[in-house]
Amino acid sequence: MFKKDNIPKTMSAIVNHAPYDYRFEQIQTPVIDEDEVLIKVLSCGICAGDLKSFHGSSMIWGGGIFPKWQQAPVIPGHEFFGQVVAIGDVAARKNNLKIDDYAVAEQIVPCGECKYCKEGKRWLCTVGNIHGHIKNVAEGGMAEYMKFSALDIIHKVPQGISPRIGAMIEPLSCAVHTVELADIQLSDVVVVAGLGPIGLCKLQVAKMKHPSMLIGIDLIDKRLDLAKALGADLVLNPRTTNIIEVIDELTEGYGCDKYIHSSGSPEGVVQGLQILKKGGTFVEFSVFMDDTSVNWSIIGDRKELKILGAHISGSKGYQIAIDMLHKGSVDTERIVTHEYKLEDFEKAFSVAENHEEAIKVILTP
């Protein structure tokens, strides 16, 4: 066992006790064994999913205090980044890590035993424990320290990546997986709808595929302005623009080739089906709070669309995201708009809810 001498026995953490009941508390610092890693958390992002959990997103699972994937009391946060302060001998050899290395673990703690894990599709794991939602098994990063278990998929991070952008590894990994599924070609007209932190990452990754035209859609002008600065050829606001008319004019009435949706809005789904060309591809990456109804005849009988779902980071999302950030090929500095200390989490969550003001809010212990 390797460890630093100054690890305290207790630590500060945000603890989720129930919807609307998150508390800043002093709790026991995790203790690790030879298969585990302890990091000092340097930053942790607030995801839209964290906000939905705070508000009790169990409504989308048919009732109950929590959805099936959430057990309290638990430390929230799955967009974490930290520095190794203690590591077991087995974990050190397995993960090629040592004290003071930067490291992240993937947001999912795969079981390693189900059909999907055995097929190499750990992101589809039947158990599907996501950090920040399962007490004792998959605690989150909104704390001073965090334990990675023997089941965690851990990645070493180059020292050149700062804590500010380290919290963006997880969102960027999701963007990488989504864009890979879209299979963008050089001749494609690509629409990225929903320009939150992950959407803005998707826009930049899609730009690397060199489509003939890249269009960003959002309701917030601040995000549209940033999308334009980050490489969008055109940005559109549905509040002020007839999206269908603009896309028809740009594509001689055929429609866009690829539609990547990240807003979590039912209106965004309908919009995508309307503006896609026949034979086009719709990639959905959202967590919805409301049911969405569409005319399925558009998907089959009228357009023969390809509908794909994207879930978290896929198999190589983290490795690619870390490499992109290390090389500086994706700009996340401008996506992170606010930073708060753990003890100011209530203010941080409030600001994160204000989409007109904030894009990405991170917490720093």
Side-chain angles (χ1 to χ4, degrees), residues 220 222-223 337-338 340 347 350-351 354-359:
I220 300 171
K222 178 179 181 178
R223 298 184 178 201
T337 55
H338 296 75
Y340 292 93
K347 173 65 174 176
S350 176
V351 170
N354 184 350
H355 295 163
E356 295 286 347
E357 179 181 356
I359 300 178

Side-chain angles (χ1 to χ4, degrees), residues 195 217-222 224 236-239 265 356:
L195 299 173
I217 297 179
D218 202 276
L219 297 172
I220 300 171
D221 288 335
K222 178 179 181 178
L224 292 171
L236 302 171
N237 188 331
R239 286 176 174 159
S265 164
E356 295 286 347

